[in-house]
């Protein structure tokens, strides 16, 4: 999966989860905003982990 799809998937799933929680507890837009924020954090962390190996200097011992 490409990095763009990974970002989009994380953010969309966070948003949908937040919308669902908002509907369950009637707390609009609190959980939607938290879901977006959590999706962005997960996307950034995952991108860092994916790109860490690609951006390491040659000969650093990482494949």
């Amino acid at each position: 999966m490409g990095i763009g799809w990974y970002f989009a998937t994380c953010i969309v799933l966070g948003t949908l989860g937040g919308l669902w929680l908002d509907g369950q507890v009637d707390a609009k837009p609190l959980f939607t905003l938290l879901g977006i924020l959590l999706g962005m954090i997960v996307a950034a962390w995952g991108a860092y982990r994916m790109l860490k190996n690609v951006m390491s200097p040659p000969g650093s011992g990482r494949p």
Side-chain angles (χ1 to χ4, degrees):
M1 179 170 16
I3 192 86
W5 281 105
Y6 183 77
F7 263 87
T9 302
C10 289
I11 294 170
V12 168
L13 288 177
T15 303
L16 291 176
L19 285 169
W20 180 79
L21 275 172
D22 277 338
Q24 297 296 312
V25 297
D26 196 31
K28 296 202 188 311
L30 175 66
F31 289 112
T32 302
L33 294 174
L34 288 175
I36 292 169
L37 181 64
L38 181 64
M40 291 171 58
I41 291 169
V42 169
W45 178 253
Y48 168 75
R49 292 192 50 153
M50 280 190 258
L51 295 175
K52 181 173 58 171
N53 291 334
V54 175
M55 302 205 43
S56 64
S60 65
R62 292 192 177 156

